[in-house]
Amino acid sequence: MSETTMPATEVETITTERELASYELAYHVLPTVAEGEVTGVSDELKKLITTAGGEMFDEEDAKRFELAYEIDKYLEGKYRKFTSAYFGWIRFRLEPVKLDALTKSFDENKQLLRYLLVRLTKVEENAPFRFHEALVDTNVRVIDTDADPVSGDEEMVSEAEVVDEVEVPDTDVVEEEKV
Amino acid sequence: MEQHNLHKKATVQHIDYKDITRLGNYINPHARMNSRKRTGFTAKAQRDFAQAIKRARFMALMPYISR
């Protein structure tokens, strides 16, 4: 039990296994960038990754997406509000040691609204999720339901009724409390 | 308690933080995460789900609060 050093053969196997980790960089490009120049921004990001020693193995192009909430970004001495951005992601393998330098270069990029760097588990790595394709699929389903005008209208009416029912008792309760 | 069969299959594939339609099934109208009682996930699946929601919120794919 007094052995504190690992046998050389074991050390080798561990270091080779741990050498590369896979990551996913998800990013929002500022909506102020013109539609045609968005690919240029993502190309810049790819260049940063490859120069840092990473190997890309998957990606999805940045496309316009309406954000779920407003994001404030400090630009040229002012905070500006953004409600939409171009969302895309890149997957790459990199040595964990080199990650710090890479994140710094992402921070310095002025065309990014926000980014998220996630270390992928093996399950995540084997099942990439394509955001924009999935969104298109769901949109198509919505259009299909609209194709039946009768059923679509009924749904709309029922939703409106439910909302009314919820609101009315609320006001009643408030009035009773006041009395 | 009965486990959520849908998610048992899904855990193999994993819930991705970008999968906002699927994540949207497990939040209430105020955009809060459902508890394990409602989702019926295993403890691990619920942790993965919570992680995914939080990532989606940060990237403004899903709201922190609504209504």
Side-chain angles (χ1 to χ4, degrees):
Chain A
M1 295 306 249
S2 60
E3 266 185 70
T4 50
T5 52
M6 255 186 208
T9 49
E10 273 184 39
V11 170
E12 267 176 31
T13 54
I14 286 173
T15 47
T16 47
E17 276 171 14
R18 284 184 182 173
E19 203 176 357
L20 291 177
S22 40
Y23 298 93
E24 180 173 299
L25 167 75
Y27 57 90
H28 284 299
V29 179
L30 284 177
T32 50
V33 177
E35 188 101 40
E37 292 165 25
V38 177
T39 47
V41 178
S42 45
D43 283 342
E44 263 178 49
L45 293 175
K46 285 176 210 165
K47 231 184 236 172
L48 287 175
I49 290 166
T50 45
T51 48
E55 331 162 349
M56 283 158 24
F57 61 93
D58 205 352
E59 64 170 305
E60 188 172 19
D61 293 335
K63 279 181 197 164
R64 196 86 175 198
F65 176 72
E66 294 298 319
L67 302 173
Y69 54 88
E70 274 187 346
I71 296 182
D72 289 357
K73 172 88 175 169
Y74 188 75
L75 284 174
E76 296 160 1
K78 268 184 192 174
Y79 279 100
R80 289 188 55 188
K81 288 179 176 175
F82 294 101
T83 54
S84 71
Y86 302 96
F87 180 74
W89 54 265
I90 303 168
R91 288 183 164 200
F92 59 94
R93 292 192 187 83
L94 185 75
E95 288 171 50
V97 189
K98 295 177 180 172
L99 200 65
D100 265 3
L102 191 59
T103 48
K104 263 179 202 167
S105 61
F106 291 147
D107 286 334
E108 284 161 10
N109 194 318
K110 282 178 184 168
Q111 280 159 321
L112 288 187
L113 177 60
R114 188 172 279 195
Y115 72 86
L116 174 71
L117 197 57
V118 177
R119 184 165 177 161
L120 298 175
T121 59
K122 275 190 180 166
V123 184
E124 285 171 317
E125 199 179 332
N126 294 332
F129 182 81
R130 309 209 158 263
F131 179 72
H132 292 292
E133 283 175 25
L135 270 191
V136 168
D137 286 350
T138 53
N139 286 343
V140 167
R141 264 174 232 148
V142 169
I143 291 162
D144 285 343
T145 54
D146 287 344
D148 291 341
V150 181
S151 63
D153 285 349
E154 277 173 4
E155 280 171 21
M156 289 296 286
V157 170
S158 63
E159 276 174 19
E161 280 172 1
V162 168
V163 170
D164 285 346
E165 280 169 12
V166 172
E167 280 173 0
V168 170
D170 277 356
T171 51
D172 285 346
V173 169
V174 172
E175 281 168 10
E176 281 169 15
E177 281 172 1
K178 280 176 186 172
V179 171
Chain B
M1 196 177 144
E2 198 189 336
Q3 298 285 343
H4 210 295
N5 274 335
L6 229 173
H7 191 62
K8 263 192 179 173
K9 278 182 200 164
T11 42
V12 182
Q13 297 163 0
H14 182 83
I15 281 201
D16 196 286
Y17 68 94
K18 300 191 290 300
D19 194 349
I20 51 177
T21 46
R22 201 140 67 89
L23 287 174
N25 294 335
Y26 302 110
I27 60 172
N28 73 9
H30 298 284
R32 296 179 64 176
M33 290 180 242
N34 284 346
S35 62
R36 266 190 77 193
K37 203 172 175 180
R38 279 187 150 272
T39 58
F41 289 165
T42 60
K44 185 175 188 325
Q46 182 76 13
R47 290 198 301 274
D48 287 348
F49 160 68
Q51 177 70 270
I53 287 266
K54 287 168 186 177
R55 284 173 178 174
R57 282 174 179 171
F58 173 75
M59 285 311 278
L61 305 179
M62 297 186 85
Y64 281 93
I65 46 166
S66 71
R67 283 208 205 164

